[in-house]
Amino acid sequence: MIICTINYCTDEKYKKNKIQELIYIVTLVVIVQIVTKITGNSSLGVIVIHGILLVYGAIVFKKDPLGATIGFSIIYLFININLLICSNIFYEYIVPHIPDGYIEIGVLIFLYLPQYIMTYFVLLKRKIIYKLYRTIKSKNFSAIPLILVTVIIDFINSFNLIIHDIDNPLFKELIFLLLGIFMAILTIYFANIEKKAREITKLNNALEEKVNELKKVKHDYGAQISYLYGMHLMKKYDRLGELLKDIIDGHNNITSDVRVTDDDSVIAMIVNSIDNKGINIIVDEQADLYETGISEMELQRVISNILRNSITAIKSNGVITIKTYYGLNNIIIKIQNNGPKIEENIIDKIFEVGFSTKDDKGSNHGFGLAIVKEIIESYCGNISVSSSEKFTEFIIKLPFKN
């Protein structure tokens, strides 16, 4: 049901032919049987098989992993909701009224048979599943929430087995350990979402201020244009020329960049002293950098050198984010920009004295990042850089002062 449904829903160019589909089905059946033989009909078996099914689907349909995850999640939810309803009815209302010798027959009738019936209708009505699949995919949802929902269903079914005392006792403690790990991962995931949401909120507030500024300018210009038109009607051209010159001289201070900073931030003062050439800069300072012992002037040299390199690399409208936060034994400064990727063959050289990617290598280029590294290491800290197609990130770690 899982393989056939995913194959039916996925884009035409990713579909498997009948022979491939059969091979994948047989292979999956064998893998699941082996795992079931090892773990038994246990809560651990439920979670392990879920992981296998998820990874298997992603491997088989690796060219469309999101589609495979959506298709799998829909079917997996159907299977587990069906199981949850039927198992509760069976163990709560059927088992107490039938002899022990008929339990296995009851399992076949009340647990397995409903799954086969559901499988028949799912395969028969795949167009309905496809409509549901297409609706979810068109919403541009991430695969992660779908996976989280199916994992939650797994834990519900696992605890259902534990509650009805039909789980392997050896696996009960392990299930609680896995639940703890899952909750920790869930907490980190939503904490990252909240952090990104705060950044977006800050940027939106800054953009809103810029829009309001432009509205004021528009209103001001509207009034002045009406006045200038009056000068034109009165044919006072000399006065008109003087007024136009005053307008040009008086409104050249409107900038196109957005800076989101904290007024009492140390880094904010450094940012505001730099010509950012239209690059948007966001500062989120959560740590007191004075706790590291680095002097303000040294910090200025470090931050400004990295910022100038970032601004030069972006070359057009972009975003630079600067964050500070506490580590266990140090304070971390993270500077990220969405400029072009630094190629792997040069990324290890950027802190070397005299190394530069600029064309005029004979001038005073290639010393900024070398100075940064020297300053950081003089305070027993370290600096690293990573780069991808999405962003380049400098991470500075400075230990606390004694």
Side-chain angles (χ1 to χ4, degrees):
M1 177 169 59
I2 291 170
I3 297 295
C4 289
T5 302
I6 294 176
N7 197 45
Y8 182 82
C9 292
T10 194
D11 292 342
E12 195 66 37
K13 56 185 175 182
Y14 303 133
K15 289 186 187 296
K16 310 298 180 184
N17 59 44
K18 295 296 181 183
I19 296 175
Q20 290 175 316
E21 198 174 33
L22 182 60
I23 292 171
Y24 293 136
I25 290 170
V26 172
T27 305
L28 185 57
V29 168
V30 172
I31 293 171
V32 170
Q33 291 300 319
I34 292 171
V35 174
T36 304
K37 185 70 176 177
I38 296 170
T39 61
N41 187 26
S42 64
S43 54
L44 179 64
V46 168
I47 293 173
V48 172
I49 289 173
H50 177 196
I52 289 171
L53 291 172
L54 188 61
V55 172
Y56 189 82
I59 292 172
V60 172
F61 298 93
K62 58 185 178 183
K63 293 183 179 179
D64 186 19
L66 177 60
T69 303
I70 294 172
F72 166 78
S73 299
I74 293 171
I75 298 303
Y76 197 78
L77 283 173
F78 282 178
I79 292 172
N80 280 278
I81 291 171
N82 188 350
L83 176 63
L84 196 61
I85 294 171
C86 294
S87 62
N88 276 307
I89 293 173
F90 178 65
Y91 289 110
E92 292 291 338
Y93 302 105
I94 307 298
V95 170
H97 300 96
I98 60 174
D100 292 343
Y102 292 95
I103 295 294
E104 288 188 357
I105 296 174
V107 168
L108 287 172
I109 295 173
F110 292 100
L111 297 186
Y112 285 91
L113 184 59
Q115 294 287 6
Y116 284 111
I117 294 171
M118 184 193 70
T119 302
Y120 171 77
F121 282 106
V122 165
L123 294 175
L124 185 68
K125 301 293 184 181
R126 279 182 293 182
K127 287 184 178 180
I128 297 175
I129 303 297
Y130 175 70
K131 288 180 180 179
L132 182 60
Y133 163 90
R134 187 176 56 186
T135 301
I136 295 173
K137 193 172 184 181
S138 66
K139 301 294 183 183
N140 290 322
F141 287 142
S142 167
I144 294 176
L146 295 171
I147 295 171
L148 292 178
V149 169
T150 57
V151 172
I152 291 169
I153 291 288
D154 275 346
F155 280 112
I156 292 173
N157 277 319
S158 296
F159 285 116
N160 193 42
L161 292 174
I162 292 171
I163 289 169
H164 292 103
D165 203 28
I166 54 176
D167 193 26
N168 188 327
L170 295 174
F171 297 144
K172 289 183 180 179
E173 296 296 329
L174 184 58
I175 288 299
F176 282 103
L177 176 62
L178 290 174
L179 179 61
I181 294 171
F182 174 71
M183 294 301 294
I185 293 171
L186 205 61
T187 302
I188 293 169
Y189 172 73
F190 283 110
N192 285 331
I193 289 178
E194 184 183 2
K195 183 169 68 175
K196 290 178 181 177
R198 286 200 304 269
E199 290 176 5
I200 292 170
T201 300
K202 280 187 174 183
L203 187 57
N204 282 340
N205 290 337
L207 291 172
E208 188 175 348
E209 289 178 10
K210 186 62 61 179
V211 168
N212 289 334
E213 181 184 343
L214 292 173
K215 285 180 179 178
K216 290 177 183 177
V217 172
K218 178 185 175 183
H219 180 270
D220 192 22
Y221 271 128
Q224 292 184 26
I225 289 170
S226 297
Y227 185 72
L228 292 173
Y229 184 63
M231 292 289 105
H232 166 71
L233 292 177
M234 290 186 288
K235 298 182 179 181
K236 295 183 178 181
Y237 300 120
D238 292 340
R239 180 60 180 151
L240 180 60
E242 291 174 5
L243 290 172
L244 285 171
K245 187 176 183 302
D246 289 341
I247 291 172
I248 293 170
D249 293 339
H251 291 84
N252 58 0
N253 58 345
I254 298 167
T255 59
S256 61
D257 61 295
V258 177
R259 303 188 187 200
V260 185
T261 61
D262 301 320
D263 293 336
D264 58 348
S265 162
V266 178
I267 294 179
M269 292 187 288
I270 300 171
V271 169
N272 291 327
S273 68
I274 294 172
D275 179 11
N276 63 342
K277 297 180 181 178
I279 305 300
N280 304 317
I281 301 177
I282 302 173
V283 176
D284 182 12
E285 196 166 348
Q286 301 297 330
D288 184 358
L289 293 172
Y290 291 117
E291 293 183 30
T292 64
I294 188 170
S295 69
E296 190 170 324
M297 290 307 298
E298 298 280 46
L299 182 63
Q300 191 276 335
R301 292 172 69 193
V302 168
I303 301 299
S304 61
N305 270 307
I306 295 176
L307 281 180
R308 288 192 181 99
N309 274 274
S310 299
I311 290 167
T312 303
I314 295 174
K315 295 180 181 177
S316 61
N317 290 335
V319 177
I320 298 174
T321 59
I322 307 172
K323 302 177 186 177
T324 67
Y325 54 92
Y326 290 101
L328 292 176
N329 301 309
N330 49 37
I331 287 179
I332 300 166
I333 305 172
K334 185 184 291 185
I335 303 175
Q336 187 182 98
N337 70 72
N338 62 347
K341 178 183 178 181
I342 302 175
E343 298 301 328
E344 294 179 5
N345 61 332
I346 65 171
I347 195 168
D348 294 331
K349 302 177 183 178
I350 64 173
F351 294 110
E352 295 178 4
V353 177
F355 178 80
S356 176
T357 57
K358 297 179 176 68
D359 295 331
D360 51 342
K361 298 182 185 293
S363 60
N364 296 324
H365 293 309
F367 297 97
L369 292 180
I371 292 170
V372 167
K373 183 177 174 65
E374 182 182 338
I375 293 172
I376 295 300
E377 290 180 349
S378 71
Y379 287 92
C380 301
N382 64 75
I383 181 170
S384 61
V385 61
S386 61
S387 189
S388 67
E389 300 295 340
K390 293 183 179 179
F391 59 82
T392 295
E393 183 175 79
F394 291 86
I395 296 180
I396 299 168
K397 295 181 179 178
L398 289 167
F400 296 110
K401 63 183 177 183
N402 294 331

